[in-house]
């Protein structure tokens, strides 16, 4: 099976067809280039992109994946079982792009870009078109839009530039369980630097980064899964609250 054959199976799964067993497609994604080609093909069919998830870790390449406009919701958000199958919850620092970014190759790109975005507290809702996340290789997860299901966006803060976005105070409650309460290191070392790294790498991928898009920069709390009916309440100091509900 080629990587573009896998793209068609992922599209089918998004439209109510069978999910894809990782063992059946283990040889379909040989490189990040294959994974990104699959993302682009899926986006051609699914529709408009509303933002991107990105992340970086020491010793690893930056990754990116589109989040579809239909899956981006303002907080507080409500999801049904038809919207999301498996429900993973990640609290993240995000950025809303308000106007076109400067040339990423310019020497003062980061200083100029700060005025083009607002910062937000966001929830990534993790879901997948694969039958088994645990057995899926990293490139297969990347091909499946890095397991994105949806995103919930809090109120934007335009005057965020003085905030320290390397370590944040944050809280995340999943029903009666508190999974994060206190200081959390931001993945990649600095949320805005991670955003800028995405801007430099993205080019025209899935249409590129545009005004109106929201970018999330990595989980502050790991990737716990919840059952339907569990209320989700997040908070990041300086950025405020973000909430989602999944009624049964």
């Amino acid at each position: 099976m080629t990587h573009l054959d896998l793209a068609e199976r992922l599209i089918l799964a998004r439209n109510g067809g069978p999910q894809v067993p990782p063992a059946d497609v283990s040889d379909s994604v040989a490189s990040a280039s294959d994974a990104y080609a699959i993302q682009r093909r899926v986006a051609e069919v699914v529709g408009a992109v509303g933002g991107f998830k990105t992340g970086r870790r020491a010793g690893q390449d930056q990754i990116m994946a589109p989040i579809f406009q239909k899956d981006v919701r303002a907080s507080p958000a409500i999801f049904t079982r038809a919207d999301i199958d498996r429900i993973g919850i990640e609290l993240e620092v995000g950025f809303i792009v308000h106007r076109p970014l400067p040339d990423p190759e310019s020497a003062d790109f980061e200083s100029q870009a700060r005025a083009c975005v607002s910062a937000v507290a966001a929830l990534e809702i993790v879901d997948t078109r694969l039958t088994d996340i645990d057995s899926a290789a990293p490139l297969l997860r990347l091909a499946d839009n890095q397991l994105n299901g949806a995103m919930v966006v809090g109120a934007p803060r335009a005057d965020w530039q003085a905030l320290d976005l390397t370590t944040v105070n944050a809280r995340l409650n999943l029903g009666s369980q508190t999974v994060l309460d206190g200081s959390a290191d931001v993945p990649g070392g600095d949320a805005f630097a991670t955003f800028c790294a995405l801007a430099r790498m993205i080019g025209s991928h899935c249409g590129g980064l545009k005004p109106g898009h929201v970018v999330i920069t990595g989980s502050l709390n790991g990737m716990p899964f919840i059952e339907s009916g569990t209320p989700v309440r997040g908070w990041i100091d300086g950025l405020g609250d973000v909430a989602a509900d999944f009624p049964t």
Side-chain angles (χ1 to χ4, degrees), residues 2-247:
T2 69
H3 63 278
L4 293 180
D5 291 329
L6 173 56
E8 299 308 314
R9 291 188 64 176
L10 291 173
I11 291 166
L12 184 62
R14 285 179 175 273
N15 290 323
Q19 294 182 323
V20 180
D24 289 0
V25 294
S26 60
D27 60 348
S28 299
V29 191
S31 65
S33 293
D34 287 348
Y36 292 135
I38 291 169
Q39 291 182 7
R40 288 190 293 272
R41 172 56 187 155
V42 172
E44 288 174 357
V45 175
V46 173
V49 169
F52 291 86
K53 62 179 295 185
T54 190
R56 57 180 185 168
R57 293 177 177 157
Q60 299 182 14
D61 292 336
Q62 179 112 0
I63 60 169
M64 60 182 176
I67 302 172
F68 295 111
Q69 182 62 58
K70 67 182 184 64
D71 300 321
V72 179
R73 303 189 185 184
S75 174
I78 297 176
F79 295 90
T80 68
R81 178 59 78 179
D83 298 318
I84 299 291
D85 182 14
R86 281 160 282 188
I87 311 169
I89 302 295
E90 298 183 354
L91 179 64
E92 308 196 18
V93 175
F95 297 94
I96 301 176
V97 181
H98 292 296
R99 49 184 174 272
L101 294 170
D103 180 355
E105 300 304 319
S106 63
D108 58 348
F109 169 74
E110 293 197 12
S111 62
Q112 290 188 56
R114 286 180 180 274
C116 297
V117 303
S118 292
V120 295
L123 296 169
E124 181 181 6
I125 315 303
V126 176
D127 197 6
T128 182
R129 280 49 60 181
L130 306 173
T131 58
D132 179 20
I133 292 174
D134 293 334
S135 67
L139 286 174
L140 183 55
R141 294 185 180 204
L142 183 61
D144 186 30
N145 285 12
Q146 198 60 31
L147 310 182
N148 178 258
M151 174 169 55
V152 181
V153 184
R157 177 169 175 175
D159 61 339
W160 62 274
Q161 289 84 354
L163 296 176
D164 179 3
L165 295 182
T166 62
T167 301
V168 297
N169 287 317
R171 182 173 59 253
L172 180 62
N173 293 328
L174 307 179
S176 61
Q177 182 184 15
T178 300
V179 297
L180 174 63
D181 189 8
S183 179
D185 292 334
V186 174
D190 180 277
F192 185 63
T194 297
F195 169 86
C196 290
L198 171 69
R200 291 187 175 102
M201 78 177 287
I202 195 168
S204 62
H205 181 62
C206 293
L209 195 53
K210 300 175 180 178
H213 283 173
V214 185
V215 174
I216 50 177
T217 59
S219 178
L220 301 172
N221 64 280
M223 191 175 68
F225 283 79
I226 62 172
E227 298 295 328
S228 294
T230 305
V232 176
R233 302 291 183 267
W235 169 84
I236 299 175
D237 190 15
L239 300 180
D241 300 314
V242 60
D245 287 288
F246 303 85

